Amino acid sequence: MLDLSVNIGSVPLRSPVIIASGTWGYDESLWREDLLRHVGAVCSKAITESPKDGNPGHRIWETPCGLLNSIGLQNTGIDDFVDEKVPKLKSYGVPIIANVSMEDEIGLVRMVERLVEVADCVDAIELNVSCPNVDKGCMSWGVSPVLTSQAVSMVREIWKGPLWVKMTPQAPDPEGVARAAEDSGADALVVANTWLGMAIDVDGKKAVFDRVVAGFSGPAVFPMALRLVWQVSAAVSIPVIGCGGVSSGRDLLSMIMAGATAVELGTGMFRDIRLPENILREVKAYMTKEKVEDLRSLVGIAKR
Amino acid sequence: MSGNVDDFPCKITAREMVGEDILSIRVRCPSIAESIYPGQFVLLRDPSWGMDPLLMRPFAVSAVHGEDLELLIKLIGRGTSLLAERSVGDDLVVRGPMGRGFSSPKSSPIYVAGALGAAPLLFARQVFGAGRFVLGVPGEGWGPFVDHLEARCPEIEVFSDDGSIGVRGTALDGLEKGESSPIYACGPMGMMAAMVKLEPVSCQVSLESRMACGIGACCGCVIETVQGKRRVCADGPVFNLEEVVWNA
Ligand SMILES: Cc1cc2nc3c(=O)[nH]c(=O)nc-3n(C[C@H](O)[C@H](O)[C@H](O)COP(=O)(O)OP(=O)(O)OC[C@H]3O[C@@H](n4cnc5c(N)ncnc54)[C@H](O)[C@@H]3O)c2cc1C
Ligand SMILES: Cc1cc2nc3c(=O)[nH]c(=O)nc-3n(C[C@H](O)[C@H](O)[C@H](O)COP(=O)(O)O)c2cc1C
Ligand code: FES
């Protein structure tokens, strides 16, 4: 019997495949049992204190094997999430990770206080100090170990449940940020969010995105995300969740062997809605061939 | 609801170039063929693409023939050019039907198409019945496309910007101000924005937007409406003319 279940701190997941924030919607048609059977957990879209309209102009630009996005945290706000979304999401039976986007201290505190009200329905908070697509807050917290520590401590004081921190690859000292998060009470690290990129509309002779820069994701970023997982997992003792370009079973295995305990899938889901199932099939075939019974035995194996 | 999110492996059953850069293609996809409604669309990917192109491409369905979907595709970039290289018998992956289509007309409709915007309207005509069908094209080079449409829709009224095909002018020149018949329109944003000035009593427009997921998940395809930002893929692609904020 192959065992693909994993624990992220105190959170048990039936599968090491998690759907990344911002890449799965709330429409009922997506929450089908057959689509989510192979998924360990679903991260909510980024939640902000007040509802946000997101960015104007182009929001999507494809590149070879990659995707630039400038969504800008469009969401209906914490009150709608807690009052309307959570009860519905809970009924689907998949662990829900609340991706909380940090803009400022007051907003963060209010969001976490509201989540405490539904703590038994939210399996973990994923503190998002890493979105590059907004002017206010967010990534500016995640690039600094001091500010990351401050943000994590604030949440930790109010939220006693599982707390993940979603890091930004733009941090000049990722190990420093990771250690700061761990020391301040994070239970796991998600490594990482999108990479800063941009595109020029050559025919229009201008930048494609109104904000010029955008978040880069997809298979093109996988080797860089893998490197970050390798680096960060060596610097901390809490679990690391690999995120960035994972699109196949071999990508998942690489992340695990580099030190991740689980992975998050984002852009890959747009291309193949059954990616979790397809990845797990490939992983199981590998485990059978290599006579590995427990996926956990492969965590960090490439480092030994 | 964001449509049916299932992917189906399908085969190309017919292909023809109808002009230098317009492909007419049929794909055998029984389950979508029996459930798709006018104005809905499909997402399409070629398994040979691997990771590049990365995303599925959205296309309207221009007709259903038994188990086959017919699409009209303008070759504008990498994905569509690669599609044009495929042959009868080749495999594609098709997801759908996606989005919300046109609501059915209470009286004889007018179809107003700008260039490739004719695609969803041809399917609407197939299901809802013939009515006036007004088409605007740029002109030179669009002859084979117009011939292709005329063969399916003999009543078509054609306008061209340069006057080389049909009457010189735009599709909107074929309409009266305050038109009372229900209008179904699809074409460039500028054309649809200009329809507002004609103040039709009832008009549904089918819009396009760059899509990443096509299933309502990413919020990449939003447009501005009087109710705020809405997703073209899941809340549309069909909207009422008056709910769209055209100068956004
Ligand atoms: C609901 C809907 C229905 C459509 N129906 C038709 C149709 O019937 N016939 C037809 O010829 N075209 C149609 N389009 C436009 C078609 O999807 C694009 O022309 C096509 O995706 C371009 O792909 P490409 O790889 O050749 O271009 P590239 O420029 O290489 O594409 C790069 C990226 O941009 C996206 N993209 C580029 N232009 C558009 C666009 N106008 N709309 C949406 N995405 C775009 C692509 O999907 C891709 O992700 C429709 C679009 C939508 C949203
Ligand atoms: C369209 C889109 C929207 C996203 N929205 C969010 C978000 O709301 N919150 C967040 O933390 N990350 C967001 N991300 C980042 C992803 O969760 C993920 O970290 C990133 O895309 C890298 O993984 P991938 O290469 O597998 O996509 C978004 C990514 C995309 C492509
Ligand atoms: S393309 Fe993702 S929401 Fe419409």
Side-chain angles (χ1 to χ4, degrees):
Chain A
M1 194 45 197
L2 298 180
D3 189 357
L4 279 100
S5 66
V6 294
N7 292 308
I8 309 296
S10 60
V11 184
L13 303 179
R14 63 188 167 194
S15 146
V17 174
I18 301 165
I19 299 184
S21 175
T23 60
W24 204 243
Y26 297 112
D27 302 66
E28 232 170 277
S29 52
L30 296 175
W31 292 80
R32 270 178 15 201
E33 203 272 334
D34 64 314
L35 290 176
L36 294 176
R37 193 183 306 150
H38 308 273
V39 168
V42 180
C43 299
S44 75
K45 278 181 164 300
I47 311 161
T48 52
E49 189 200 2
S50 314
K52 267 179 97 88
D53 233 15
N55 290 335
H58 277 304
R59 289 183 165 194
I60 292 292
W61 192 263
E62 196 188 284
T63 70
C65 303
L67 177 69
L68 286 157
N69 91 78
S70 178
I71 309 294
L73 304 183
Q74 180 177 341
N75 81 104
T76 49
I78 186 68
D79 293 331
D80 181 68
F81 183 77
V82 169
D83 299 335
E84 305 294 329
K85 303 281 189 326
V86 167
K88 228 195 232 155
L89 296 181
K90 204 53 215 165
S91 72
Y92 298 121
V94 189
I96 300 301
I97 315 300
N99 181 285
V100 172
S101 179
M102 160 110 191
E103 294 180 304
D104 54 40
E105 287 109 320
I106 296 169
L108 181 66
V109 167
R110 195 173 91 74
M111 283 196 282
V112 178
E113 281 171 351
R114 288 254 35 210
L115 286 171
V116 169
E117 295 170 30
V118 286
D120 51 340
C121 299
V122 170
D123 296 83
I125 285 183
E126 181 179 69
L127 178 62
N128 176 356
V129 281
S130 45
C131 179
N133 288 326
V134 284
D135 296 329
K136 194 178 161 202
C138 221
M139 194 179 85
S140 56
W141 290 82
V143 289
S144 145
V146 173
L147 292 180
T148 299
S149 163
Q150 205 175 312
V152 175
S153 304
M154 264 188 288
V155 179
R156 190 74 290 174
E157 224 169 87
I158 313 167
W159 175 259
K160 302 304 167 210
L163 172 58
W164 305 355
V165 173
K166 187 163 178 184
M167 293 180 45
T168 166
Q170 273 71 242
D173 171 18
E175 286 108 323
V177 170
R179 277 191 294 262
E182 179 179 30
D183 293 345
S184 313
D187 298 310
L189 298 170
V190 180
V191 181
N193 207 317
T194 50
W195 302 68
L196 265 191
M198 73 171 289
I200 297 279
D201 172 358
V202 171
D203 298 315
K205 303 186 182 66
K206 59 183 177 58
V208 164
F209 296 103
D210 283 12
R211 296 186 74 255
V212 180
V213 295
F216 189 42
S217 62
V221 309
F222 177 75
M224 299 187 288
L226 184 64
R227 184 264 299 165
L228 266 186
V229 165
W230 180 283
Q231 257 176 289
V232 166
S233 61
V236 295
S237 51
I238 51 178
V240 164
I241 300 167
C243 177
V246 176
S247 333
S248 70
R250 291 194 95 75
D251 290 348
L252 178 141
L253 289 164
S254 304
M255 283 288 194
I256 301 266
M257 291 179 189
T261 303
V263 298
E264 289 190 3
L265 306 180
T267 308
M269 295 296 296
F270 299 159
R271 205 178 143 273
D272 178 5
I273 204 160
R274 292 191 182 272
L275 189 58
E277 179 178 351
N278 292 334
I279 282 185
L280 291 189
R281 188 178 314 114
E282 208 186 315
V283 169
K284 282 181 195 157
Y286 176 88
M287 289 169 69
T288 308
K289 184 173 94 22
E290 296 289 329
K291 301 195 173 46
V292 174
E293 285 198 350
D294 185 346
L295 191 63
R296 286 170 285 208
S297 67
L298 296 178
V299 173
I301 201 167
K303 284 203 179 106
R304 284 175 213 149
Chain B
M1 263 303 278
S2 49
N4 187 342
V5 295
D6 287 310
D7 290 352
F8 301 97
C10 300
K11 279 203 188 306
I12 299 175
T13 53
R15 80 174 283 288
E16 181 193 353
M17 292 303 294
V18 291
E20 207 177 297
D21 57 0
I22 301 171
L23 172 71
S24 163
I25 194 171
R26 283 192 193 188
V27 288
R28 180 137 310 158
C29 197
S31 100
I32 298 180
E34 75 173 19
S35 56
I36 193 159
Y37 188 77
Q40 288 188 300
F41 65 98
V42 295
L43 294 164
L44 199 146
R45 167 163 70 87
D46 184 332
S48 79
W49 287 353
M51 294 293 169
D52 184 27
L54 183 65
L55 301 170
M56 299 183 89
R57 301 308 198 234
F59 297 103
V61 165
S62 61
V64 170
H65 304 281
E67 298 186 333
D68 289 3
L69 309 173
E70 185 179 84
L71 316 174
L72 277 170
I73 297 179
K74 174 127 170 81
L75 314 187
I76 65 152
R78 198 128 178 276
T80 48
S81 308
L82 287 169
L83 278 175
E85 290 170 13
R86 309 310 290 173
S87 315
V88 171
D90 285 349
D91 296 314
L92 294 177
V93 176
V94 183
R95 184 186 300 169
M98 309 306 303
R100 292 166 192 270
F102 296 108
S103 50
S104 69
K106 297 198 176 62
S107 55
S108 180
I110 305 179
Y111 305 103
V112 182
L116 266 288
L121 301 179
L122 287 170
F123 182 37
R125 177 187 175 279
Q126 185 186 23
V127 175
F128 299 149
R132 284 188 65 202
F133 198 115
V134 188
L135 170 73
V137 292
E140 185 129 26
W142 285 76
F145 175 73
V146 171
D147 293 345
H148 182 78
L149 263 54
E150 272 175 342
R152 272 133 229 268
C153 176
E155 73 275 22
I156 200 162
E157 302 159 40
V158 184
F159 292 81
S160 62
D161 298 341
D162 65 4
S164 63
I165 310 169
V167 177
R168 182 187 293 267
T170 74
L172 301 200
D173 294 331
L175 300 179
E176 300 288 325
K177 194 163 177 171
E179 185 58 65
S180 62
S181 301
I183 295 177
Y184 294 144
C186 184
M189 287 299 260
M191 174 192 119
M192 292 193 279
M195 299 210 45
V196 176
K197 291 199 198 86
L198 291 172
E199 296 169 14
V201 171
S202 140
C203 178
Q204 295 172 52
V205 291
S206 178
L207 302 186
E208 282 185 16
S209 178
R210 280 182 178 252
M211 292 183 179
C213 72
I215 58 174
C218 72
C219 292
C221 64
V222 297
I223 51 139
E224 203 62 62
T225 75
V226 291
Q227 301 106 329
K229 292 213 161 57
R230 303 198 62 202
R231 301 161 303 174
V232 171
C233 68
D235 303 317
V238 174
F239 294 88
N240 285 320
L241 182 69
E242 66 273 11
E243 69 182 310
V244 179
V245 177
W246 294 100
N247 55 2

